[in-house]
Amino acid sequence: MRRPAPPVAASLASALLLLGTKGAWADPPPSAAHSSLKSEGPTQPAKVDDGSYTDKDGTPTYHVTEGGKMVDWPAMSGYVRYNANCIVCHGPDGAGSTYAPSLVEALKRDDYATFVGIVAGGKKDVNSAQQLVMPAFGDNRNVMCYIDDIYVYLRARADGVIGRGRPAEHEPKSESFRKREDACMG
């Protein structure tokens, strides 16, 4: 039986799902449109709000240019946060390990809400052949303050537009990103 998420995790996950990609940390007014929303890969950004990109459905997405050499700040931040929090179980570059599945493959079928729900609330798959347990990270600010970034990085990996290893170049970190980060981590 699945263990209920801790109250903080459940509250944070519910808030994220209810608020959608606007999230609890988004700035109210959107900034001027980016000069070029064209990106590498099958997923194209429809909107940019001060360095954070969303697709036509309002889901966080990547902006990768220059043949995969230049990534947006959230994708770079996602790479850093993935390597600080997720690599131990899910292996380098989201490719999976001997006891945790590939997140690159998971994001080929799972949507944003499913991803956030599993990260925040955890998941347990037990059968006679294996026992897979994903702990809940809903009360971990080092994960939840950057959940969109981690998702963006893994989405770009799943779409094949960011290769293995550290991205070569990235867009600058915006001032509003700094403010949201400080507010969430504070």
Side-chain angles (χ1 to χ4, degrees):
M1 177 179 272
R2 188 172 172 171
R3 180 178 58 120
V8 173
S11 297
L12 186 54
S14 297
L16 285 170
L17 293 174
L18 288 173
L19 292 170
T21 59
K22 297 251 185 247
W25 310 286
D27 293 331
S31 65
H34 194 270
S35 58
S36 172
L37 291 177
K38 179 85 174 108
S39 180
E40 306 285 330
T43 303
Q44 295 297 308
K47 181 180 172 189
V48 61
D49 186 5
D50 204 13
S52 294
Y53 297 84
T54 53
D55 66 15
K56 64 181 175 41
D57 299 322
T59 303
T61 196
Y62 52 83
H63 183 244
V64 178
T65 59
E66 299 178 22
K69 294 178 186 169
M70 175 67 76
V71 302
D72 57 278
W73 177 255
M76 184 65 201
S77 172
Y79 167 83
V80 171
R81 293 299 169 163
Y82 175 87
N83 281 284
N85 297 286
C86 313
I87 191 172
V88 173
C89 295
H90 293 281
D93 309 304
S97 72
T98 56
Y99 68 91
S102 166
L103 296 177
V104 171
E105 291 303 315
L107 284 189
K108 290 178 181 178
R109 65 179 181 279
D110 292 344
D111 63 10
Y112 173 75
T114 301
F115 176 79
V116 172
I118 291 170
V119 173
K123 183 177 179 180
K124 192 172 191 177
D125 289 330
V126 178
N127 61 44
S128 60
Q130 63 185 0
Q131 182 172 351
L132 301 174
V133 178
M134 164 79 181
F137 285 93
D139 57 355
N140 183 330
R141 289 184 190 180
N142 287 309
V143 173
M144 297 311 295
C145 289
Y146 301 95
I147 193 69
D148 286 359
D149 302 353
I150 296 167
Y151 176 81
V152 165
Y153 164 68
L154 291 169
R155 186 177 193 186
R157 288 276 301 124
D159 282 354
V161 297
I162 294 180
R164 297 197 72 168
R166 185 179 182 90
E169 300 285 332
H170 59 80
E171 294 174 358
K173 185 183 208 179
S174 71
E175 186 58 32
S176 68
F177 188 97
R178 285 182 210 282
K179 288 178 182 176
R180 287 190 307 265
E181 182 176 43
D182 289 347
C184 187
M185 292 299 288

